[in-house]
Amino acid sequence: MGTPRRRILRSRWKSGPAIPLDDFVLVGVTDFTAHGYGQSVAVALAGMRLRRTWPSTPGAVGMWLFADPLRRRSGSVSVWADERGLKEFTGRPDHVRIVRAHRGRGELRSVRREFEEFDPDAVWAYALELITEER
């Protein structure tokens, strides 16, 4: 028998205010593995608070949050109309505060990729491959 597939929990799609131009999108996958379970919960809760701001986040097309609780992993798959929106978001005071609060308390991996067209199924499949690979 093969290795059992892990169960990744995923939020519903949360739309942002941006519409992809010419179907081009920039996808960011952020994956945090916490050193402990308590830290894992704190990071996931911080992500849910940021998610509430998504409908008014400039440049954001939409996003999913994900969690792999048994492995203390959580993160986001964010879809952007352009690089500027992503850079502005990562520099926002609330985002910077969260990153600083959890620095050194786990391993962070962040990957960006351009897609020539926005296909939610293809974007999630790409992200899921990254999320489920062993590091």
Side-chain angles (χ1 to χ4, degrees):
M1 293 223 127
T3 304
R5 185 173 175 110
R6 292 201 308 259
R7 175 114 169 105
I8 303 297
L9 305 175
R10 178 178 77 166
S11 71
R12 290 184 181 166
W13 173 256
K14 181 80 162 190
S15 293
I19 297 172
L21 300 176
D22 300 324
D23 290 327
F24 164 87
V25 293
L26 178 63
V27 173
V29 180
T30 301
D31 181 1
F32 185 79
T33 302
H35 291 318
Y37 286 103
Q39 192 68 37
S40 177
V41 171
V43 169
L45 289 173
M48 286 190 277
R49 282 191 302 274
L50 281 177
R51 185 176 189 270
R52 288 187 219 143
T53 69
W54 220 249
S56 61
T57 299
V61 174
M63 60 99 73
W64 294 281
L65 294 177
F66 70 86
D68 184 349
L70 295 177
R71 290 184 171 73
R72 302 176 320 277
R73 289 171 78 174
S74 63
S76 65
V77 179
S78 57
V79 181
W80 301 90
D82 54 34
E83 180 80 24
R84 180 179 176 196
L86 175 57
K87 284 184 177 183
E88 287 178 2
F89 171 74
T90 58
R92 273 183 14 189
D94 56 347
H95 183 265
V96 170
R97 198 169 30 256
I98 290 167
V99 170
R100 287 182 180 156
H102 300 287
R103 184 173 286 145
R105 297 180 180 180
E107 181 182 341
L108 177 67
R109 179 174 62 159
S110 182
V111 178
R112 296 180 195 182
R113 179 179 166 195
E114 295 178 2
F115 282 77
E116 296 209 5
E117 63 179 298
F118 179 46
D119 174 352
D121 292 331
V123 168
W124 179 253
Y126 163 74
L128 188 59
E129 189 173 311
L130 293 172
I131 295 164
T132 57
E133 76 183 9
E134 293 298 323
R135 293 193 260 175

